[in-house]
């Protein structure tokens, strides 16, 4: 089955997105006929890890600090185009467990830090603190699933299994080919690894696709493989309405990444919020002592 002219057009501009507007890309996605929207479930009782980088040793003290951006001024002046968000748009990004990476906080950190965007320029001695918040999923959430990219299929057991499952739901080979081609095209945009400094325009297709789906369907979240984990981890992007309704902040902890003499040291937990305060708006921290938090505790 030949690629539709509308999808072929998007394919023709994907490497020149700096020459077209976001609105033009959104309109072009709207013109693609017979959209294939594969979905997956975020299961009740599972969790999402989210990371924010600390400014020096300053601690985050409220749920708003560790959740999606709430401050209108920050959104207006500091939020540019992202893999799933438009400019000035609040989106909750986090990571979930995958077969290859059982601790999603690892994925969340490498997706959030800027230290490894250009690892060859990383100083021999550097320290960075980051805060991991863990959010419990309180009810089943159906989200769009972008797992058809070639790199994801090569590196992720989850992506391979999920694609097989998605294809098994379709009635015949012709429709499977049509849907796979479309799924692969948009998944490749979510899997882009060629986005350098000042190149956020390369997110125009993935961001516009996410927002088209959110505008036109009941699905308000997307899951896709993590580029920074070489596609073996799994990310989620959720609109604030899903976070407010279906996620519960469960724990908060501060970790330290440190490189000494060119060698990366083990990432250690250094503080844990022992009390989140009334309405999760007044975190109280204590130094983390491993013996006080056995495996199976609320942090792990």
């Amino acid at each position: 089955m030949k690629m539709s002219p509308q999808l072929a057009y998007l394919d023709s501009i994907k490497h020149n997105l700096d020459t077209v507007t976001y609105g033009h890309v959104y309109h072009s996605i709207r013109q693609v006929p017979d959209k294939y929207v594969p979905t997956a479930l975020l299961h009740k009782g599972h969790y999402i890890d989210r990371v924010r980088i600390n400014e020096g040793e300053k601690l985050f003290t409220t749920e708003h600090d560790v959740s999606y951006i709430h401050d209108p001024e920050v959104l207006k002046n500091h939020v540019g185009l992202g893999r799933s968000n438009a400019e000035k748009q609040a989106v909750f990004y986090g990571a979930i467990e995958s077969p290859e990476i059982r601790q999603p906080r690892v994925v969340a950190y490498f997706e959030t830090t800027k230290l490894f965007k250009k690892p060859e320029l990383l100083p021999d001695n550097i320290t960075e603190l980051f805060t991991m918040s863990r959010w419990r999923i309180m009810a089943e959430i159906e989200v769009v699933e972008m797992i058809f990219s070639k790199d994801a299929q090569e590196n992720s057991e989850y992506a391979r299994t999920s694609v097989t499952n998605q294809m098994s739901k379709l009635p015949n080979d012709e429709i499977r080919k049509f849907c796979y081609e479309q799924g692969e095209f948009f998944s490749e945009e979510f899997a882009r690894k060629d986005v350098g400094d000042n190149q956020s325009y390369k997110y125009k297709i993935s961001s516009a696709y996410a927002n088209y789906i959110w505008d036109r369907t009941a699905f308000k979240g997307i899951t896709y493989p993590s580029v920074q984990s070489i596609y073996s981890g799994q990310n989620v992007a959720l609109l604030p309405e899903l976070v407010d309704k279906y996620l519960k902040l469960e724990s908060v902890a501060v970790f330290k990444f440190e490189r000494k003499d060119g060698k990366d040291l083990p990432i250690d937990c250094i503080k844990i919020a022992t009390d989140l305060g009334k309405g999760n708006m007044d975190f109280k921290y204590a130094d983390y002592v491993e013996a006080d938090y056995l495996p199976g505790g609320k942090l792990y």
Side-chain angles (χ1 to χ4, degrees):
M1 181 178 292
K2 188 178 180 180
M3 181 182 287
S4 72
Q6 296 86 350
L7 196 62
Y9 174 71
L10 285 167
D11 188 58
S12 74
I13 65 170
K14 66 183 181 183
H15 296 302
N16 300 288
L17 291 171
D18 55 329
T19 66
V20 295
T21 66
Y22 181 89
H24 177 77
V25 172
Y26 185 100
H27 176 77
S28 299
I29 291 171
R30 188 170 62 187
Q31 300 306 308
V32 175
D34 303 319
K35 292 181 184 64
Y36 173 53
V37 184
T39 64
L41 296 176
L42 302 181
H43 294 289
K44 178 181 178 180
H46 291 197
Y47 62 86
I48 300 171
D49 282 351
R50 175 174 164 82
V51 160
R52 283 206 65 191
I53 305 301
N54 294 69
E55 295 182 11
E57 297 187 0
K58 183 179 178 181
L59 299 175
F60 298 116
T61 58
T62 74
E63 179 174 316
H64 285 184
D65 290 339
V66 297
S67 183
Y68 59 85
I69 298 173
H70 286 69
D71 188 333
E73 288 301 312
V74 173
L75 288 169
K76 178 181 177 182
N77 297 314
H78 299 288
V79 174
L81 198 65
R83 207 171 292 269
S84 294
N85 66 279
E87 293 180 351
K88 304 178 176 62
Q89 181 184 28
V91 169
F92 178 101
Y93 288 97
I96 56 177
E97 184 178 329
S98 67
E100 289 79 16
I101 302 179
R102 296 298 185 180
Q103 292 290 357
R105 67 170 179 264
V106 176
V107 177
Y109 174 59
F110 283 102
E111 283 285 343
T112 307
T113 183
K114 295 181 179 179
L115 294 182
F116 298 97
K117 302 300 182 184
K118 293 183 178 180
E120 69 278 6
L121 301 180
L122 192 63
D124 286 343
N125 295 281
I126 193 169
T127 298
E128 181 173 72
L129 301 188
F130 64 94
T131 297
M132 188 276 288
S133 53
R134 176 158 291 177
W135 302 76
R136 191 65 59 180
I137 301 170
M138 305 306 293
E140 191 172 79
I141 306 172
E142 189 172 10
V143 296
V144 178
E145 186 172 55
M146 290 283 100
I147 37 72
F148 289 78
S149 73
K150 293 181 177 66
D151 284 325
Q153 291 300 300
E154 181 178 341
N155 291 284
S156 170
E157 177 187 335
Y158 170 80
R160 291 190 295 271
T161 301
S162 187
V163 164
T164 299
N165 180 57
Q166 296 288 0
M167 293 295 99
S168 71
K169 299 175 184 177
L170 301 174
N172 58 57
D173 288 344
E174 184 177 17
I175 292 176
R176 276 190 284 272
K177 182 178 179 182
F178 172 83
C179 291
Y180 193 100
E181 181 179 64
Q182 194 180 119
E184 183 180 50
F185 174 81
F186 287 113
S187 293
E188 291 289 356
E189 293 303 300
F190 279 88
R192 289 191 76 145
K193 54 188 175 185
D194 63 340
V195 184
D197 294 339
N198 302 313
Q199 291 184 325
S200 61
Y201 61 84
K202 292 184 178 181
Y203 291 135
K204 283 180 183 176
I205 292 178
S206 62
S207 172
Y209 176 86
N211 277 277
Y212 174 85
I213 295 297
W214 293 339
D215 291 342
R216 301 301 182 99
T217 75
F219 310 123
K220 306 302 178 184
I222 289 184
T223 181
Y224 54 93
S226 158
V227 174
Q228 296 302 320
S229 68
I230 317 179
Y231 307 94
S232 56
Q234 195 70 15
N235 290 328
V236 291
L238 308 175
L239 288 184
E241 62 194 78
L242 280 187
V243 177
D244 295 344
K245 188 174 182 180
Y246 295 116
L247 299 189
K248 180 181 179 181
L249 179 61
E250 186 172 271
S251 64
V252 178
V254 181
F255 292 79
K256 179 173 71 173
F257 167 80
E258 187 172 13
R259 168 175 281 202
K260 278 189 174 182
D261 299 325
K263 181 180 179 181
D264 296 342
L265 303 183
I267 294 178
D268 293 324
C269 179
I270 60 171
K271 290 183 180 293
I272 185 167
T274 56
D275 182 0
L276 300 181
K278 184 178 180 180
N280 296 341
M281 297 301 284
D282 186 18
F283 299 170
K284 303 298 183 186
Y285 289 93
D287 290 342
Y288 176 77
V289 179
E290 188 172 1
D292 292 340
Y293 297 92
L294 299 176
K298 67 177 182 177
L299 178 59
Y300 293 99

